[in-house]
Amino acid sequence: MMLEVKDLNVYYGAIHALKGLNFHLDKGEIVTLIGANGAGKSTTLNTISGILRARSGQITFMDKEITRTEPQDIVRMGIVQVPEGRKIFATLSVLENLEMGAFLNNDKESIQKDLDAVLQRFPRLRERRRQFGGTLSGGEQQMLAIARGLMSHPSLLLLDEPSMGLSPILVEQIFEIIRDINAQGTSILLVEQNAQMALSIADRGYVLETGRVVLEGPAHELLHEPMVVEAYLGGHG
């Protein structure tokens, strides 16, 4: 088991955001967390990456407990989060944004090699490499956010709402990229409101409601689960 979350309880002040959350991810998998706004999906990712602190419970990554590990040390261990809303640096160029993703690497030669690799994977970013991040389209910004995450060589990539605000064609492109990254050996934990797309590429899924897992199973089965169809797939199975 690559990642295991056990009985996780997280609070925002008096608000109990995650209530005894349990789930796991095996090496090589795409696992998706689906649920309505406020279900606790982003809170889960932020707690795994060390941005939020759990009140109780345990997060284990590659047999090491990381529940109280600092965010930069979690990145060093191989967990990298691509945050909701992209959070790119608008006043830096595409190249400078990508270099920010390599902040733990002091070897100029290997940074250059990584830059070449991500620009080969994202030809659109190669074309725009001198442009400021803020001048890119929404889809290009999402590609940049993912590419920046890959600059840290993650073994587990946490993706928070990668399709948010994108046109259907761009959503298809982004999910194709996610599939490709996974095929190259990176495990992925995907938080996504577009349940149809998320379940179509995931191995397994968990449905969250008010900070708890209410349903779990193979993604292809969840696509036809009446409760999921009704609540998240617009009533069409």
Side-chain angles (χ1 to χ4, degrees):
M1 205 178 291
M2 186 181 218
L3 178 78
E4 185 176 24
V5 170
K6 280 167 78 174
D7 199 23
L8 203 64
N9 287 280
V10 176
Y11 287 77
Y12 291 104
I15 297 165
H16 197 174
L18 297 182
K19 301 166 183 168
L21 189 68
N22 292 285
F23 72 92
H24 75 275
L25 177 147
D26 292 323
K27 196 164 194 252
E29 278 193 310
I30 299 178
V31 169
T32 186
L33 307 179
I34 62 172
N37 267 339
K41 306 183 305 293
S42 295
T43 301
T44 302
L45 294 195
N46 287 336
T47 308
I48 293 167
S49 60
I51 296 164
L52 290 174
R53 281 279 175 261
R55 178 86 57 91
S56 64
Q58 196 174 54
I59 303 166
T60 309
F61 178 65
M62 307 290 268
D63 298 324
K64 287 192 182 116
E65 189 181 346
I66 60 165
T67 322
R68 280 161 191 80
T69 304
E70 292 299 320
Q72 66 273 20
D73 295 326
I74 286 173
V75 173
R76 275 193 192 93
M77 293 170 83
I79 300 178
V80 172
Q81 181 170 354
V82 177
E84 181 184 346
R86 310 190 250 284
K87 308 271 196 308
I88 60 154
F89 299 100
T91 57
L92 298 183
S93 71
V94 166
L95 276 179
E96 288 166 334
N97 267 278
L98 291 173
E99 284 163 358
M100 295 294 277
F103 72 101
L104 292 175
N105 188 352
N106 296 318
D107 182 339
K108 280 191 177 160
E109 207 173 300
S110 87
I111 291 173
Q112 190 54 53
K113 206 180 279 186
D114 292 341
L115 276 173
D116 293 342
V118 296
L119 291 175
Q120 195 170 341
R121 176 175 263 160
F122 296 93
R124 187 79 62 82
L125 297 183
R126 184 188 289 283
E127 291 164 20
R128 309 258 192 275
R129 62 191 182 276
R130 306 276 173 220
Q131 279 183 224
F132 289 128
T135 66
L136 301 181
S137 71
E140 289 163 350
Q141 288 189 15
Q142 186 61 65
M143 287 177 197
L144 178 55
I146 293 172
R148 182 180 64 191
L150 293 176
M151 288 291 292
S152 300
H153 290 280
S155 49
L156 174 59
L157 195 58
L158 311 179
L159 294 174
D160 196 351
E161 302 285 8
S163 79
M164 188 184 274
L166 301 184
S167 69
I169 285 177
L170 282 171
V171 171
E172 292 277 355
Q173 277 180 26
I174 291 296
F175 275 85
E176 200 51 58
I177 288 163
I178 294 168
R179 253 198 216 103
D180 177 52
I181 291 166
N182 177 248
Q184 304 281 323
T186 305
S187 306
I188 292 172
L189 181 58
L190 171 65
V191 154
E192 181 54 69
Q193 279 207 306
N194 187 335
Q196 180 84 45
M197 286 300 291
L199 290 169
S200 72
I201 69 161
D203 298 294
R204 293 184 304 107
Y206 294 85
V207 180
L208 267 60
E209 279 184 9
T210 57
R212 288 190 180 91
V213 172
V214 293
L215 199 59
E216 62 183 274
H220 65 276
E221 288 180 14
L222 290 178
L223 270 171
H224 304 290
E225 177 68 43
M227 175 261 209
V228 174
V229 171
E230 190 56 44
Y232 306 110
L233 305 179
H236 307 293

